[in-house]
Amino acid sequence: MSPHDADLDALEAEAMWVIREAAGAFRTPVILYSIGKDSTVLLHLAAKAFAPARIPMPVLHIDTTWKFREMIRFRDETARRLDLDLRVHTNPDGLGNAITPFTHGTDEYTRIMKTVALRQALDTGEFDVALGGARRDEERSRAKERMFSLRGAGHTWEPSAQRPEFWTTVNSALVGGQTMRAFPLSNWTELDVWRYIQREKLDVVPLYFTQALPTVLRQGKPVAIDDDRFIFEPDEQPVVRRVRFRTLGCYPLSAGEESEATSVDDIIAELEVATTSERAGRLIDGVGASSMERKKTEGYF
């Protein structure tokens, strides 16, 4: 028995309560699936929460078309294995206008292909609560979220308007175009997530483990070249580096880190002495502490 089992049991029970509460208190819940480690844990918890039945709500993936190819393979395999009602949405206007991370800049690309796309998909599905794997320890604006986080009309977020949460009493009433976001993993840390993956023997996208990949340095960080759409800067040449990813997203905007971690045990050992946030590799967060909070007020998850 691991010395961390009691803590993991408590986090698991809390997360499963949030998932069941969302399923019971709202009319049309949906799980947001980013394909990363947190989403993997969230789906596993949902499967346990409703076993032996299948997960009783749709699972939504916002596909920018720029995810790592390994992520898409993993998504499709997971959907088959868990018999998911998988919904995939891409912003048709962004696709038609050829919006890419290279041609429109990080902020505009993220706004169109992620934020606007998410709002479109939630409105089309008429979902009144969206569950996601965000955690409070990721960065400062995430730390302001309640487990049940109210969104105004148009999916806007106002941190100061969040409802108090007393024990396990949830104010789930919605009026005037309001919706809710729910965060079952709010109180988990990155290390908790990996210890739970280890304990539950969960598969994750192989990119979390060190591989030799062709990369270039952007903002001093290795960015992998995942397909032939990558646009090089003048005189830039790919260099093979041994890297792994602590967080995954669109490949031109997800920097890796040089590492020799090839197993979950290795990753846990790295994290036990790490001093940087996993989001240090997310080039979408932009410059300045308010960047992510601004995105969230516009509807970004």
Side-chain angles (χ1 to χ4, degrees), residues 33-36 39 60-75 88-90 101 109-110 113-114 205 207 224-227 229 247-254 282 284 300:
Y33 183 45
S34 70
I35 320 175
S39 286
L60 172 64
H61 174 62
I62 301 301
D63 189 354
T64 64
T65 75
W66 285 89
K67 303 297 183 185
F68 287 94
R69 288 170 293 178
E70 284 195 48
M71 293 178 68
I72 301 303
R73 283 194 293 270
F74 187 86
R75 179 198 70 188
V88 178
H89 179 75
T90 301
Y109 165 78
T110 301
M113 299 305 291
K114 295 189 176 186
V205 179
L207 290 161
I225 301 156
D226 197 56
D227 59 36
R229 296 177 296 171
T247 181
L248 292 172
C250 299
Y251 84 82
L253 303 177
S254 300
R282 292 300 293 272
I284 68 166
Y300 186 72

Side-chain angles (χ1 to χ4, degrees), residues 5-18:
D5 276 346
D7 290 337
L8 294 178
D9 286 344
L11 290 169
E12 179 186 71
E14 179 182 62
M16 289 169 66
W17 166 76
V18 173

Side-chain angles (χ1 to χ4, degrees), residues 263-284:
S263 69
V264 175
D265 289 349
D266 291 343
I267 290 173
I268 289 172
E270 273 191 359
L271 292 178
E272 286 175 337
V273 297
T275 58
T276 58
S277 165
E278 67 200 277
R279 289 197 74 91
R282 292 300 293 272
L283 305 185
I284 68 166

Side-chain angles (χ1 to χ4, degrees), residues 196-213:
Y196 190 76
I197 288 169
Q198 179 189 55
R199 186 179 83 168
E200 302 291 301
K201 298 179 174 58
L202 303 182
D203 291 330
V204 294
V205 179
L207 290 161
Y208 283 114
F209 306 110
T210 298
Q211 303 180 39
L213 298 172

Side-chain angles (χ1 to χ4, degrees), residues 5-64:
D5 276 346
D7 290 337
L8 294 178
D9 286 344
L11 290 169
E12 179 186 71
E14 179 182 62
M16 289 169 66
W17 166 76
V18 173
I19 293 167
R20 289 168 175 154
E21 185 74 16
F26 295 90
R27 180 175 53 85
T28 51
V30 66
I31 294 175
L32 302 186
Y33 183 45
S34 70
I35 320 175
K37 63 187 184 305
D38 303 300
S39 286
T40 292
V41 167
L42 181 59
L43 284 183
H44 179 72
L45 290 163
K48 291 185 77 169
F50 300 108
R54 67 196 287 261
I55 295 173
M57 60 189 78
V59 173
L60 172 64
H61 174 62
I62 301 301
D63 189 354
T64 64

